[in-house]
Amino acid sequence: MRENRCLCQPVTCHPHAPFSVGGQFVFEISYRGRAVQIWPSPQVFDDKFRQQVRAWQDAPDSPGRQAYLAWKARKVAQILGLPEEKLLRAVMLPSQQA
């Protein structure tokens, strides 16, 4: 939690959100009784993405890790170059009015 404004809920999920190493990439944003769930495209965060991160993110320096870092730089460039509608999916959640 950050200044009583942000809450991390590791059980938040959506049937179309891609999986990450420790759960799913799902973000829920609420403000004044309105909420939206946002998740990245599963085509961007696919099996290869998860396999590469799992295998190389914390690995010691090696030719394999150097190849991963080059792959990661290309992946970042791909993500930054995608239009929003190809990168993110969203759905409004039912009103949370008290």
Side-chain angles (χ1 to χ4, degrees):
M1 183 151 356
R2 182 176 178 261
E3 298 177 15
N4 297 323
R5 294 185 289 175
C6 298
L7 178 62
C8 178
Q9 294 178 315
V11 296
T12 300
C13 63
H14 190 279
H16 302 296
F19 285 92
S20 68
V21 174
Q24 279 187 299
F25 285 115
V26 179
F27 306 93
E28 190 171 303
I29 301 168
S30 300
Y31 184 70
R32 294 188 178 184
R34 298 176 71 191
V36 62
Q37 271 189 347
I38 302 170
W39 62 95
S41 167
Q43 288 76 33
V44 175
F45 296 95
D46 55 9
D47 287 340
K48 181 175 182 176
F49 174 85
R50 286 185 292 282
Q51 291 165 351
Q52 291 289 319
V53 171
R54 189 177 295 115
W56 297 106
Q57 184 67 30
D58 295 323
D61 194 31
S62 68
R65 184 150 198 289
Q66 291 302 314
Y68 161 73
L69 293 174
W71 172 85
K72 185 177 175 181
R74 290 189 305 274
K75 190 70 166 177
V76 168
Q78 174 200 16
I79 290 168
L80 292 175
L82 283 174
E84 187 176 302
E85 63 274 5
K86 290 196 177 199
L87 180 61
L88 300 172
R89 309 291 186 264
V91 64
M92 293 296 296
L93 298 175
S95 177
Q96 299 177 357
Q97 298 293 330

